[in-house]
Each structure stands twice: as structure tokens, then as C-alpha cells.
Amino acid sequence: MKVLSDVVQSIINVGPSVMLPIIIFIVGLIFRVKPGKALTSGITVGIGMIGINLVINLLTTSVGPAAQAMVKRFGFHLTIIDAGWPAVSAGTWAQPISAIMIPIILVVNVGLILLNLTKTLDIDIWNYWHMIAAAATAYVVTKNWWFAILCGIIYEIAVLIIADKTAPKVAEFYGLDGISFPTGSAAAYGLLGIPIGWVVSKIPGIRKWDVDPQTIQKRFGVFGEPMVMGIVIGMLLAALGGYSVPNILKLGMSMGGVMFLMPRMVKILMEGLIPIQEGAQKLLQEKYGNRKIYLGMDAALSTGSPATLATGLLMVPITLFLAIILPGNRVLPFGDLATIPFFAALIVPSRKGNIVHSVLSATIVMVFALLMATDFGPTLTSMMHGIVAFPKGASEVTNLDTGGNILNWLILKLSQLVQPLFN
């Protein structure tokens, strides 16, 4: 098992910019795309992913310190620290159940496609860790391999269903035709956020607040440009963090750069995916008529939308404020603050890019997320104990990506319910 785990981890460590071109090339050949075209598509996707990762790195390294500065400036005192998804991911991969879950996830996905029970072919293997985290949660609670594997499969099926159901909105809003988002965190936040958003849009008065990037640009001219919106939001975050004027301007320009560059990076990646998607649809039409298939990709592609980025960035100070005032919350948001834009990936399209409705919906979702993350604290602390270094002053650790994820939380509750059966 250790050998298998080491092999899997070495593949994961290569990174998407190397592995994605290989996967896209193989998938292209399976869908009868000419080898030369499949190779070019794979390389283009890899280059697009390099660009996206560069911009995401700019986003996280800029917003992360600003969020940490806010925490320090306002003197928040909460006992469970949000360690962020990288720490929880490390804890997940260290569980004995993790190595065997990769092939199981692949086999289940292909089987569901062959049985026409899903349309999503999840090629985003780096985010398989979300499904593995569900299995690891069940294993930590029950110590039963078979139940843990079952929980991982249940989580996978739930994510694939959500990805299938939301793919039409992803195509309509983001322009990503033939793409779905089977990213565990985005799917879980969407599962709550989409119906909540529908309710928000029906509230008298609020329902008339139609504020999307196009409306802002129309009303405010140059000040409504996405990159200018990014600059304003970045400066707001820096000001809340107590930055000096030069650093406020610097963070503002960084966020303006993210808003400007991300759509262009996504466009490059999509240029590579189009031939593969066309080949897949052609093959499926020959064999199954009008059956459609979606390529499951990282929800990070959603940050090519100014509305999604704006919603996510505005949620950073809102989440910190909620953590202070919310009764029953013990979580200090920290590590996952910079990744909140990815949580909004499916919420924003359901609101047609309306930033006000999206922020209100995400705020309500975050109330539940903080409480679930609080409840998840002991289990995630146990999972990560001795594997990752705990932040200074933390008695327990959790995170918003996994601990605040309703799908994982339901797996936790199910595991705790059946745990006496395995004693």
C-alpha cells in the first residue's frame, strides 16, 4: 500500500501543467481525434493551465497576507484555526485509504458513463482529493475500510450529479461549452447556494437589485471595467488589513491584474479543449445518437468571470465579520480565505452574474459553512495530527473547503451514526 501511495503521490506532484497534456492527448485518441491535433490540444491546455496557475498564485499570495493582516489587526480570538485546503489535503493523502481510492474513483466514473448514469468524465485528478477526504473522514471515525470506500463513492456520485445538473449553466454563463465542474468544494457550496440564491432573488426589493459587471460598466464607465473593479476591491482588502498607502495601491493593481489576465488564460485553455470536446461529441453521436458528455475540469476556470472573482473577494471580509458575530462559531477563517472565489463557482451562474444576489447567497451559505467547520474540528484535527504543523495558538484545526462542505459534513454525520456498529 505504501508503494502504491508513493506512486500516486509522485504522479500528483508532477502537477497539472505536465499531466493534463498527457491526459488530454490520451482522451483525444480515445475520441478519435487525429494524433497531431490531440497533441497540440494537450500542449495548449497545459500552457493555459500554467497561465491560470500563475494568476491564481498572484491571487492567493496577495489576498492571503491581506486576510491574515485583518485577523491580526482586529484581534480575533477563536480557538479552531482554518488551516486551509493544502494542509487538509496533506492530511488526506497521509491516510491509508487514500492510495486505493484513486483507481476506485476512476473505475466508478467510467462505469457510470458506460451505464449512462453520468455525463461527466472527471479528468481533474488533482481534485480527486475532495472525494478521498470523504473516504478518509469515514475511515478516521469508523476505522472500517469498506465503509470508508463506500463513503468516497457516495461523495463522488453526488459531485458528478451536481456537475451534470449545473453544466448547462456553466456553458451559458462562463461560455465553457461541454465543461462541468466536479470540484468537491464548488459542488457542495453550490448545492446550498443555488437554492438559497433562488430564495434571495424572490425577496421583495432585493430581487430588483440587478448588479452585474455589465450593469456596473454601463453606469460607471471606466470605473465599471473589471480590472478597475479588481483594483477597488483589492484596495479595500488592503485598507482593512491596515496596509500603508503604497501597499494598498500595490494590492489594488495585483487584483486588477487578476481580473484582466484570468479570462485570457481560461480562453487559451479552452482553445485546447475544443477539439477534444468536438471529437467526443462526434463519437457519441455516432454510437448513441444525441448523448452528450462533459469534460470535468477544475472550478478554478470559473475565476475567468469578473462576477465570480468579485463575489469571492468581497466574501473575504464578510466571512471574517461573520466569524466574529455568529453564535456557536469557533472557527477563525484563515487558510481558505483566498480560495473563496472557487466556492462561488456555481452560485454566481445561478444568479446570472448578479453580484449582490451572489454575495447575499454566499453569505448565508458561509453561516452554515462556519458552523459545519466548527463541528468538523475534532475529526480534522485527528486526521492531520502529526502530519502537518498546527498554526501557533491553535487547539484544533479545520478548514472551509472540507470542514465547511455540506457533502463532507453529511459523510461525517453518517460515519458517527454507524460508528458503534464497527466497535
Side-chain angles (χ1 to χ4, degrees):
M1 188 59 67
K2 186 180 185 304
V3 173
L4 178 59
S5 179
D6 290 343
V7 170
V8 170
Q9 196 60 55
S10 65
I11 292 172
I12 297 296
N13 288 340
V14 171
S17 61
V18 175
M19 284 302 298
L20 256 183
I22 297 172
I23 294 171
I24 293 297
F25 176 69
I26 294 171
V27 170
L29 294 180
I30 292 172
F31 291 142
R32 299 180 184 174
V33 177
K34 292 181 179 179
K37 198 169 188 178
L39 179 61
T40 302
S41 292
I43 293 172
T44 303
V45 168
I47 291 171
M49 187 55 70
I50 289 172
I52 288 172
N53 283 335
L54 286 172
V55 180
I56 287 176
N57 186 58
L58 174 61
L59 171 67
T60 54
T61 56
S62 299
V63 174
Q68 293 167 19
M70 278 185 248
V71 171
K72 185 176 180 181
R73 185 184 185 200
F74 293 106
F76 300 151
H77 296 290
L78 295 162
T79 57
I80 305 178
I81 304 297
D82 166 19
W85 72 264
V88 176
S89 175
T92 296
W93 286 114
Q95 300 306 312
I97 195 75
S98 63
I100 195 65
M101 283 305 299
I102 290 284
I104 290 174
I105 291 168
L106 284 168
V107 169
V108 169
N109 189 186
V110 172
L112 291 173
I113 289 173
L114 293 175
L115 293 171
N116 199 21
L117 296 176
T118 185
K119 298 176 183 178
T120 294
L121 174 61
D122 188 359
I123 61 176
D124 182 24
I125 63 172
W126 293 270
N127 276 308
Y128 279 15
W129 81 265
H130 288 99
M131 303 166 192
I132 297 170
T137 297
Y139 180 77
V140 167
V141 174
T142 68
K143 302 302 180 185
N144 185 279
W145 278 74
W146 296 111
F147 179 73
I149 291 171
L150 175 63
C151 286
I153 293 172
I154 291 172
Y155 188 101
E156 177 185 10
I157 292 172
V159 167
L160 291 174
I161 290 172
I162 295 169
D164 284 350
K165 296 294 184 182
T166 55
K169 279 291 183 183
V170 168
E172 177 187 349
F173 182 74
Y174 294 117
L176 303 175
D177 188 37
I179 301 298
S180 66
F181 292 154
T183 306
S185 53
Y189 276 79
L191 182 62
L192 283 180
I194 291 172
I196 288 173
W198 182 85
V199 173
V200 166
S201 70
K202 302 300 179 183
I203 299 174
I206 293 177
R207 65 185 178 191
K208 295 182 179 179
W209 297 354
D210 186 10
V211 183
D212 58 20
Q214 291 76 26
T215 303
I216 295 172
Q217 188 171 348
K218 185 177 180 180
R219 290 186 180 181
F220 297 99
V222 67
F223 294 101
E225 290 280 352
M227 59 182 173
V228 180
M229 286 172 52
I231 290 172
V232 172
I233 294 173
M235 290 174 65
L236 171 65
L237 294 176
L240 289 172
Y243 281 25
S244 63
V245 172
N247 286 330
I248 288 174
L249 296 174
K250 185 177 179 180
L251 183 58
M253 283 302 298
S254 294
M255 291 304 97
V258 169
M259 286 282 203
F260 182 82
L261 292 171
M262 187 61 85
R264 286 155 175 78
M265 298 302 104
V266 173
K267 184 177 179 181
I268 291 172
L269 185 142
M270 283 305 300
E271 286 177 7
L273 286 177
I274 287 172
I276 307 301
Q277 180 61 30
E278 289 176 346
Q281 289 306 127
K282 183 178 179 181
L283 180 61
L284 287 172
Q285 285 175 0
E286 290 175 0
K287 288 184 173 290
Y288 304 105
N290 292 324
R291 184 177 171 188
K292 191 175 181 67
I293 192 167
Y294 305 121
L295 295 180
M297 295 291 291
D298 193 332
L301 296 184
S302 68
T303 55
S305 162
T308 302
L309 262 180
T311 297
L313 292 175
L314 289 171
M315 282 303 300
V316 172
I318 290 173
T319 300
L320 286 167
F321 178 70
L322 283 174
I324 302 169
I325 67 170
L326 183 62
N329 174 61
R330 293 172 53 214
V331 175
L332 174 60
F334 194 74
D336 273 338
L337 285 172
T339 58
I340 290 178
F342 310 138
F343 302 163
L346 297 177
I347 298 174
V348 178
S350 73
R351 297 300 93 229
K352 300 179 180 179
N354 187 318
I355 296 173
V356 172
H357 289 182
S358 298
V359 169
L360 289 174
S361 304
T363 299
I364 297 170
V365 174
M366 195 57 71
V367 169
F368 293 103
L370 286 167
L371 294 176
M372 288 187 291
T374 297
D375 187 46
F376 227 121
T379 302
L380 283 181
T381 299
S382 176
M383 187 185 299
M384 293 187 285
H385 189 72
I387 297 167
V388 296
F390 281 26
K392 185 178 179 181
S395 59
E396 293 181 16
V397 291
T398 188
N399 77 331
L400 296 177
D401 188 300
T402 306
N405 176 322
I406 189 170
L407 294 176
N408 262 342
W409 185 78
L410 290 173
I411 292 291
L412 172 66
K413 295 294 106 178
L414 176 62
S415 301
Q416 291 172 341
L417 180 66
V418 304
Q419 191 269 339
L421 300 176
F422 299 115
N423 283 343

